[in-house]
Amino acid sequence: MALTYAILGPLEVLDGERVGTADTRLKTRSPGYVLELAPRDVDAHRFRQLVEDARAVLPHDPAQARRLLVAALALWRGPALGDFEYAEFAAAEIRGLEEERLAAIELLHTAELALEHHLEVIPKLSSLVTEHPYREQLHALLITALYRSGRQADALRAYQDLRRRLRDDLGIDPSPELVALETEVLLQSGSLQPSARARRHDAPDRGDVGRRAPIPNHNLPAHLTRFVGRVNELAVVVELIEANRLVTVVGAGGAGKTRLAVEVASSLVTALVDRVVFVDLATVIDSELVDQAVFAAAGATELPHRSVRESLVEHLVDHLVDHNLLIVLDNCEHVTRAAASIAGYILSQATGLRILATSQHVLKVSGETVYPIPPMATSSTPGAGGELSSEAARLFVDHAQRARPGFVPTADDAAHIGAIVRQLDGIPLAIELAAARTRMMMVSDIASHLTSRLSILTGGSSTVRRQETLEATVAWSYDLTQGRERDLFSSLSIFAGAFAHDAAAAVGGIDDPIEAFELMGRLVDKSLVFVDATGDEIRYRLLETLRIFGAARLAERGEDQPVAARHARHHLTLVRGGDDLLGGPDQGIWQRRFRSSAPDLRTALDWLITRRPDEALVAAAGLGRYWYREGSFVEGTVFLERALGAANETSSSERAHALRWLAGFKYLSGLVDESRRIGIEAVALAREVGDHVALSGSLNLLGMAAESDGELRDALAYYEEAVDAEERSSGHKPAAVLWNIGVVCVDLADIGGVEKIVQVLRDASQSGGAVVGLANADLLQSHVAIVSGDLQSARELAARALAVFSRLGSEPDIAQANERLAEISGLEGDLAGVDRHLTVASELEADLDPKHHWRANLVRSRRALATGDIASATASLGHVLLAAVDCEHPFLLSSFLHETSRLAFIEGRCHRCRVAHRHGRADCRATGSDARRVRSRRGSRAACVPGRSARC
């Protein structure tokens, strides 16, 4: 009871004192609590104030009015008082709020028309008048927009439709204002035009829209070809994304959606937004991983609790909420629901965010503006170069000159090129593929072939015709292949991402590597396969449209399943023995290869789970260490659970290893009880089948669970048994378990034990060639150096460990090394160093439950106290308190109490200082952790916190 009082004392509220930090508004007041809020803290009040301000500035600054109204409407996150929709007491308030919202929407469209955005508002106003058929102001705005867009007849028809509805439904005529508006439309009155051109002061100059100056703050893909044409489309989409927070560019595959989106984003990165995040969803085959892909592209790592999706998107919102940025969601068509879900949620939470999506399907998110991308212009401009003056013709010539340097079209070529681009409906991919044929064909021959090949593709809707034309263009290119070349192209469609040469040969069933190289070279030359030389090795890829086409041909021949089986077998071979590959001296090379093959590893696992579940279990268990080193705990958990659920529940080493890794990922996700349950099952199964390696890993997990509960002696027993099990099997001591033993010795203030483990770890790692083990030894020894006061040696050891972890790309290890360096920086008085290292560690540990950040939060608290920032120190200690209460770890409790006493002393709360200090000393005596209080070189007292992460 006394200990609980000491922990909670600093955060208690007595006699009306504020709760927690100084800015909180929750107060105690008999008989309970009261929440005191100023009008600015209530969204309804802020909404009304923004609308009032917008109405005031609209006459002289419509651009500012639009910004204010957009911000006001962004405060709405659903219907007014949605939880009380059927409550009688709320009915009048709901009606009033909804009326205010609709009036703000009308005002926003009035501002849009003042800014001459009449083309853009027509779709939205058309939808609004359908939803509110008797709202005359909305009809007036639509009629005005139609007239200004050169659609006088449509404007008059809109008025007549309204008059007919009012007479038929209500027996009344339109208002005098609407009658006068009809007269102005009939007379083409100049009063319908805006008095002056009002533009955003900070909007990009349309004349500069297509230029690609060096742009910071983005991860947009670089293109090796010029952006040809699309000037009008570029300007329209730029204006749409300026005026709307979600714009979806829709069209058939190969229509140029991605390239247009990239150009739009690059034009806006300095003019409208501060940063652009590009998310390529083409290789995300599992819709459950869309959120993770967006989070990773935004500059963070995945989060662990996949069963609770909100934890991921809420952390994503926290990451984005204070930023003015544009997210480009590219290739959404195969994950439409997942993309729509995350887009809708983050837009409702982060008001400074805009999204530009590309897809073959509309996302159907509230507030979405859809822009169907048209074909490239194929009509020539008289007197401006004839047939070669159109956008489509210029694109053809540009790519033909790349395929055949020195190509200069003759007059005859120009006529044929005009015919080609028209027959191809102006689809960019079709034009580029046709132009590539100039390497081996005359332009006249290309035109002749296209005429015969595509003559049947006429009629039907323009959308269907464009899709059929694109498929026919790919089919034409496909028809130019033959035999083994054609078979290999179809087989390559099974790949979800980029692939290496050996993978292509395996999937194509080609045993002779020389033949494989020859066939791949031909496909590259024919623009059916593209080379990706950006990584450590040459890899190949197929455009999405080509992949879809190849897959269809594969299915037609009934070969899709045999090819899928070869694809799965190749990747099963890659991951079989993954523990050995990723734990040996070449672990960095193999980690990068696994990372490059990640999309196809997922594809192979999906196929194996549904058709060969026992082999899927082997593959999933083999990927455990890869997922751990990547920090991909979510993905690992998803696939391991699926594989275990599908496979036969027979006793096997593979099942024991899969359970071992699943228990580890559950632990790292903060689900300690579930981890312990799975770990116990894994231990029992490993003993039954006699797999000492699986037994060692499973005992290690039970030790980690015991350690998280503060049962350090039990944890030590598990770890020592794990070492014995591994040594009986392989003759080597497992480095990961030795690291965990060292950390327990640190927690028990057993410096001699730490030094002993460091030496054992070095010996075991040197004999096995495991550089990670040597780095772990350095990190443990750095703690010994801290305790002895040798901060220079501590820094050198920790920096050496960080260099190894960084070279291998192991994110959990990089995070803990940065935590150790932050601790050392704090002891040296280097506050900038503390901030630098904690920033890195926090970003890499974003996938962990917040209470697992207690080590970093202790360092943050000390850093805040050193600068007199009491509020930040209190906030950091609050997070430590959550962890302390959750696990009752002795060292964590004593560290928390020690820091609380320092905080209370600085605040002048002597009684609380004495209470916290007394309990802290008692807890320290119980665990022997007093020894870890050392003097830094500046003479300040500090508790040394061991940066550590449990090792699976």
Side-chain angles (χ1 to χ4, degrees):
M1 194 68 182
L3 177 60
T4 302
Y5 173 81
I7 294 174
L8 299 178
L11 301 180
E12 284 181 337
V13 176
L14 300 174
D15 300 325
E17 195 173 327
R18 289 184 182 274
V19 178
T21 58
D23 64 346
T24 223
R25 299 175 181 90
L26 182 65
K27 293 184 177 182
T28 56
R29 182 174 299 169
S30 180
Y33 298 90
V34 62
L35 184 64
E36 295 184 349
L37 296 175
R40 66 177 181 276
D41 296 320
V42 180
D43 52 7
H45 291 303
R46 294 206 309 276
F47 168 74
R48 292 183 179 118
Q49 185 60 54
L50 286 168
V51 173
E52 182 180 339
D53 293 345
R55 188 173 282 110
V57 302
L58 178 59
H60 60 274
D61 192 352
Q64 174 64 7
R66 182 182 67 175
R67 286 190 286 269
L68 292 169
L69 289 163
V70 169
L73 291 168
L75 294 171
W76 286 76
R77 299 174 183 176
L81 303 178
D83 292 337
F84 302 98
E85 181 179 0
Y86 302 106
E88 183 177 351
F89 76 88
E93 183 68 16
I94 289 173
R95 286 194 297 271
L97 287 170
E98 291 294 350
E99 175 63 27
E100 291 182 56
R101 180 185 196 178
L102 196 53
I105 291 173
E106 291 175 342
L107 201 61
L108 173 62
H109 286 86
T110 302
E112 297 283 12
L113 289 178
L115 293 167
E116 298 189 27
H117 295 167
H118 35 268
L119 285 171
E120 293 88 333
V121 301
I122 289 174
K124 292 180 287 186
L125 285 170
S126 299
S127 175
L128 285 167
V129 298
T130 301
E131 187 178 352
H132 305 280
Y134 307 121
R135 192 91 176 184
E136 292 195 1
Q137 178 61 19
L138 289 175
H139 285 275
L141 291 168
L142 176 60
I143 292 168
T144 302
L146 288 168
Y147 177 81
R148 290 185 183 176
S149 301
R151 298 167 60 181
Q152 182 183 13
D154 289 336
L156 290 171
R157 188 178 297 111
Y159 171 80
Q160 292 162 3
D161 290 344
L162 171 63
R163 182 175 59 185
R164 187 181 307 109
R165 179 182 291 274
L166 290 175
R167 286 179 174 177
D168 293 347
D169 294 354
L170 304 177
I172 61 175
D173 287 321
S175 66
E177 290 81 8
L178 272 176
V179 174
L181 179 61
E182 180 201 22
T183 303
E184 291 176 336
V185 172
L186 287 168
L187 298 176
Q188 298 184 2
S189 172
S191 63
L192 287 175
Q193 299 297 336
S195 58
R197 182 169 180 80
R199 304 288 294 174
R200 286 178 53 107
H201 298 302
D202 58 343
D205 184 348
R206 294 292 166 258
D208 294 332
V209 155
R211 295 183 192 163
R212 291 296 301 273
I215 298 172
N217 302 328
H218 70 82
N219 65 333
L220 294 170
H223 290 287
L224 300 179
T225 57
R226 293 189 306 118
F227 183 63
V228 179
R230 296 292 198 190
V231 174
N232 292 333
E233 293 86 344
L234 189 57
V236 170
V237 178
V238 166
E239 290 192 359
L240 287 177
I241 200 65
E242 287 177 358
N244 305 276
R245 296 182 60 219
L246 172 60
V247 175
T248 304
V249 179
V250 297
K257 302 183 295 294
T258 297
R259 188 63 185 271
L260 179 62
V262 169
E263 295 298 324
V264 168
S266 66
S267 298
L268 296 176
V269 72
T270 55
L272 181 66
V273 296
D274 300 324
R275 181 184 171 209
V276 171
V277 174
F278 183 87
V279 186
D280 183 7
L281 298 176
T283 61
V284 179
I285 61 174
D286 189 343
S287 60
E288 292 185 357
L289 301 177
V290 169
D291 302 345
Q292 176 186 332
V294 178
F295 198 62
T301 54
E302 61 176 328
L303 293 176
H305 299 301
R306 195 61 192 182
S307 59
V308 185
R309 174 183 176 273
E310 287 73 16
S311 66
L312 183 67
V313 292
E314 286 172 3
H315 278 75
L316 176 59
V317 167
D318 291 341
H319 187 72
L320 303 177
V321 69
D322 294 326
H323 299 283
N324 176 31
L325 58 84
L326 171 67
I327 292 181
V328 179
L329 295 178
D330 191 41
N331 292 301
C332 299
E333 52 270 3
H334 59 300
V335 287
T336 302
R337 288 188 178 181
S341 176
I342 190 170
Y345 183 82
I346 63 178
L347 282 170
S348 70
Q349 301 297 314
T351 57
L353 173 69
R354 298 168 192 266
I355 292 179
L356 176 60
T358 71
S359 178
Q360 294 185 28
H361 307 291
V362 177
L363 296 185
K364 297 182 180 179
V365 176
S366 177
E368 178 186 26
T369 297
V370 179
Y371 178 72
I373 186 170
M376 295 190 78
T378 58
S379 301
S380 58
T381 304
E387 291 283 0
L388 299 181
S389 63
S390 71
E391 288 184 345
R394 287 190 284 118
L395 179 66
F396 182 97
V397 172
D398 182 77
H399 279 262
Q401 289 173 341
R402 294 179 183 279
R404 195 168 88 196
F407 170 76
V408 178
T410 65
D412 287 340
D413 288 340
H416 288 304
I417 290 171
I420 289 170
V421 298
R422 282 191 292 273
Q423 290 181 55
L424 295 180
D425 289 339
I427 300 297
L429 178 59
I431 294 168
E432 292 167 7
L433 288 172
R437 298 300 149 220
T438 58
R439 282 191 296 239
M440 62 189 75
M441 298 171 66
M442 300 298 292
V443 175
S444 58
D445 293 331
I446 297 173
S448 174
H449 188 87
L450 285 176
T451 301
S452 61
R453 185 68 178 83
L454 304 178
S455 59
I456 61 171
L457 301 178
T458 57
S461 69
S462 58
T463 302
V464 174
R465 185 166 65 252
R466 285 198 302 270
Q467 178 65 51
E468 290 177 346
T469 299
L470 177 59
E471 185 173 353
T473 303
V474 179
W476 161 77
S477 188
Y478 174 77
D479 287 344
L480 295 177
T481 64
Q482 55 186 345
R484 294 283 282 164
E485 183 181 290
R486 177 179 297 186
D487 293 343
L488 177 58
F489 168 72
S490 299
S491 297
L492 295 179
S493 66
I494 195 67
F495 286 103
F499 50 91
H501 173 265
D502 62 333
V507 166
I510 303 170
D511 297 328
D512 184 356
I514 303 300
E515 181 188 5
F517 272 116
E518 175 65 23
L519 291 173
M520 288 296 294
R522 291 183 203 170
L523 293 175
V524 170
D525 288 342
K526 293 179 179 179
S527 297
L528 291 171
V529 174
F530 295 82
V531 176
D532 183 354
T534 57
D536 294 339
E537 60 180 343
I538 296 292
R539 298 180 76 81
Y540 305 89
R541 62 184 178 87
L542 270 66
L543 295 178
E544 175 122 0
T545 302
L546 296 171
R547 182 182 297 115
I548 293 171
F549 181 89
R553 304 290 79 75
L554 205 62
E556 286 174 0
R557 301 201 305 267
E559 296 178 5
D560 49 339
Q561 290 308 310
V563 170
R566 292 200 294 269
H567 176 271
R569 186 162 56 249
H570 169 77
H571 288 90
L572 178 61
T573 301
L574 177 66
V575 302
R576 196 186 294 271
D579 267 353
D580 295 334
L581 296 171
L582 294 169
D586 294 330
Q587 56 191 274
I589 296 173
W590 284 101
Q591 187 76 15
R592 288 190 293 274
R593 182 160 192 189
F594 276 42
R595 187 181 301 133
S596 299
S597 303
D600 284 288
L601 289 170
R602 299 183 192 112
T603 299
L605 265 175
D606 275 325
W607 190 88
L608 289 170
I609 286 171
T610 57
R611 291 170 178 82
R612 299 179 183 176
D614 290 339
E615 291 183 0
L617 199 61
V618 176
L623 283 168
R625 192 169 300 279
Y626 161 72
W627 284 322
Y628 168 72
R629 296 210 181 282
E630 288 289 289
S632 299
F633 310 139
V634 170
E635 183 175 325
T637 298
V638 168
F639 277 114
L640 283 166
E641 287 181 336
R642 289 178 60 197
L644 285 163
N648 295 321
E649 293 191 14
T650 56
S651 300
S652 66
S653 291
E654 290 78 13
R655 190 172 191 85
H657 281 284
L659 287 169
R660 160 213 174 182
W661 283 112
L662 181 59
F665 296 150
K666 293 288 187 181
Y667 172 86
L668 293 169
S669 299
L671 306 176
V672 179
D673 290 340
E674 195 170 350
S675 170
R676 182 184 294 105
R677 178 184 59 77
I678 297 171
I680 291 171
E681 182 182 353
V683 166
L685 182 56
R687 293 189 195 278
E688 179 184 344
V689 299
D691 190 322
H692 294 289
V693 175
L695 177 61
S696 175
S698 304
L699 288 167
N700 184 41
L701 261 300
L702 292 180
M704 290 157 56
E707 187 180 350
S708 71
D709 288 340
E711 303 295 338
L712 301 186
R713 299 296 179 186
D714 290 346
L716 202 57
Y718 281 125
Y719 292 147
E720 289 171 349
E721 187 179 355
V723 171
D724 291 341
E726 175 79 14
E727 203 167 15
R728 284 197 303 273
S729 173
S730 65
H732 299 292
K733 297 179 186 292
V737 185
L738 292 174
W739 160 265
N740 288 341
I741 293 175
V743 171
V744 172
C745 290
V746 167
D747 289 348
L748 292 171
D750 182 4
I751 301 303
V754 176
E755 292 175 328
K756 178 181 177 181
I757 286 296
V758 165
Q759 188 56 51
V760 173
L761 188 54
R762 290 194 188 282
D763 293 342
S765 300
Q766 286 171 346
S767 63
V771 293
V772 170
L774 294 173
N776 289 338
D778 284 340
L779 208 55
L780 281 173
Q781 193 167 351
S782 70
H783 173 76
V784 177
I786 290 174
V787 172
S788 65
D790 187 357
L791 297 183
Q792 180 177 351
S793 296
R795 175 171 292 280
E796 290 173 355
L797 289 162
R800 190 164 68 189
L802 176 60
V804 172
F805 297 145
S806 299
R807 188 169 67 251
L808 298 175
S810 179
E811 293 187 353
D813 299 334
I814 294 171
Q816 67 179 352
N818 273 283
E819 284 185 350
R820 175 57 53 80
L821 286 167
E823 176 191 355
I824 296 168
S825 296
L827 293 171
E828 293 174 335
D830 178 11
L831 300 184
V834 172
D835 292 340
R836 184 172 64 255
H837 291 296
L838 283 182
T839 297
V840 175
S842 298
E843 290 175 351
L844 294 175
E845 290 184 332
D847 58 332
L848 297 178
D849 189 289
K851 62 176 174 284
H852 287 277
H853 295 195
W854 62 265
R855 293 173 296 275
N857 279 312
L858 276 175
V859 179
R860 284 194 186 91
S861 173
R862 294 173 190 141
R863 187 248 186 269
L865 287 177
T867 59
D869 187 351
I870 302 299
S872 295
T874 303
S876 295
L877 280 177
H879 291 297
V880 179
L881 173 61
L882 292 176
V885 173
D886 181 68
C887 70
E888 298 185 5
H889 192 293
F891 169 62
L892 175 53
L893 291 172
S894 64
S895 296
F896 169 76
L897 291 167
H898 175 66
E899 293 306 313
T900 300
S901 71
R902 294 179 64 212
L903 174 61
F905 179 79
I906 292 173
E907 288 183 302
R909 302 185 181 189
C910 298
H911 171 68
R912 292 184 181 179
C913 174
R914 286 192 297 271
V915 171
H917 183 64
R918 181 170 65 251
H919 285 284
R921 284 175 59 84
D923 194 59
C924 288
R925 283 194 297 271
T927 63
S929 57
D930 256 334
R932 278 179 295 151
R933 295 214 186 92
V934 299
R935 291 188 178 272
S936 73
R937 292 186 175 181
R938 294 182 178 269
S940 61
R941 291 177 63 82
C944 300
V945 182
R948 56 95 69 201
S949 174
R951 300 301 177 81
C952 298

